[in-house]
Amino acid sequence: MSKSAVVLLSGGLDSATTAAVARAEGFAIHALSVDYGQRHRFELESAARVAAALGAAEHRIVAIDLAGFGGSALTADIDVPKDRPADEMSAGIPITYVPARNTVMLSLALGYAEVIGAADIFIGVNAVDYSGYPDCRPEFVAAFEQVANLATKAGVEGTLKFHIHTPLIQLTKAEIIRRGLQLGVDYALTHTCYSPDAKGVSCGRCDACQLRIKGFAEAGLSDPIKYQAS
């Protein structure tokens, strides 16, 4: 019988690949998506499509209002940066950083995992093409894993030893895409853009879109999603 794992599934390219890795490693996927008040809400629809396509045992969407705090172009009425050159994207922490987002999401995944008796949690963070987010670094993940085993009944009693899996953390976007295609990921189902139009068509100009487009180009592949006309 497959072991269960909680996989944080945003609906984006990285999280879809991460879920496919979990499946390939023999885990039954319990997908968790978080409706945190993000403006690019099309990703939640993508998450449902990806979960179904990968045969997830369960897909839950949990709502938590990070938009109530704001502080990010993804949750507040702040313009999403567009057309930034690569050196600017890699310098400093961008306004698209959502305060404590991965800490909150991993905490929710931890609670879910403890309830279903799963010791394994997968998250698609990346420290190579990561736009400067502090909560995508290996140091953060290692610290959270330690917290997970200190802060839970299962961890303290020794019935579970939690492990946070980050299979993409040292891969380039091109390497992630190649890996996902090897595992049967349909990237046409995913949504990456921070600033889609009313129909969910990606802008092609925000940092997330630029990193995605660059990844497909470097992999020598065509991106299967549509972009807005420039």
Side-chain angles (χ1 to χ4, degrees):
M1 188 172 71
S2 298
K3 296 183 295 182
S4 293
V6 172
V7 180
L8 282 164
L9 189 65
S10 70
L13 183 154
D14 291 348
S15 72
T17 308
T18 299
V21 170
R23 182 180 66 174
E25 292 182 0
F27 289 97
I29 299 170
H30 292 257
L32 177 64
S33 302
V34 182
D35 179 354
Y36 61 88
Q38 59 268 56
R39 294 167 64 187
H40 52 300
R41 302 183 62 76
F42 292 100
E43 70 175 14
L44 294 171
E45 298 173 11
S46 293
R49 293 194 294 266
V50 170
L54 291 177
E58 186 175 22
H59 179 218
R60 295 193 179 195
I61 299 177
V62 174
I64 183 166
D65 187 20
L66 295 183
F69 301 136
S72 168
L74 304 190
T75 58
D77 190 15
I78 300 171
D79 289 341
V80 171
K82 294 181 179 178
D83 303 317
R84 298 205 302 161
D87 58 344
E88 187 176 334
M89 282 193 278
S90 62
I93 300 171
I95 194 61
T96 51
Y97 161 71
V98 179
R101 179 177 60 181
N102 282 350
T103 306
V104 170
M105 289 185 176
L106 279 170
S107 297
L108 293 170
L110 176 61
Y112 184 15
E114 185 171 24
V115 168
I116 66 173
D120 299 276
I121 297 169
F122 284 75
I123 182 171
V125 293
N126 178 260
V128 179
D129 290 333
Y130 76 118
S131 295
Y133 297 138
D135 53 1
C136 289
R137 296 175 301 157
E139 299 93 327
F140 163 73
V141 175
F144 189 91
E145 182 174 288
Q146 186 176 14
V147 168
N149 286 293
L150 290 172
T152 53
K153 180 176 185 288
V156 169
E157 293 182 346
T159 56
L160 292 173
K161 183 171 177 57
F162 292 104
H163 178 49
I164 312 299
H165 298 256
T166 56
L168 313 184
I169 200 160
Q170 296 295 345
L171 301 183
T172 66
K173 194 68 75 180
E175 290 170 336
I176 291 168
I177 291 165
R178 291 193 194 101
R179 178 70 171 136
L181 291 174
Q182 289 171 354
L183 296 174
V185 176
D186 182 357
Y187 287 119
L189 302 178
T190 64
H191 179 88
T192 297
C193 184
Y194 291 155
S195 186
D197 66 17
K199 294 182 179 179
V201 179
S202 298
C203 71
R205 299 169 55 200
C206 67
D207 292 1
C209 280
Q210 288 197 66
L211 289 172
R212 177 180 174 127
I213 291 167
K214 176 173 174 280
F216 273 98
E218 290 180 350
L221 298 164
S222 297
D223 190 341
I225 70 168
K226 294 180 179 179
Y227 289 93
Q228 297 170 29
S230 57

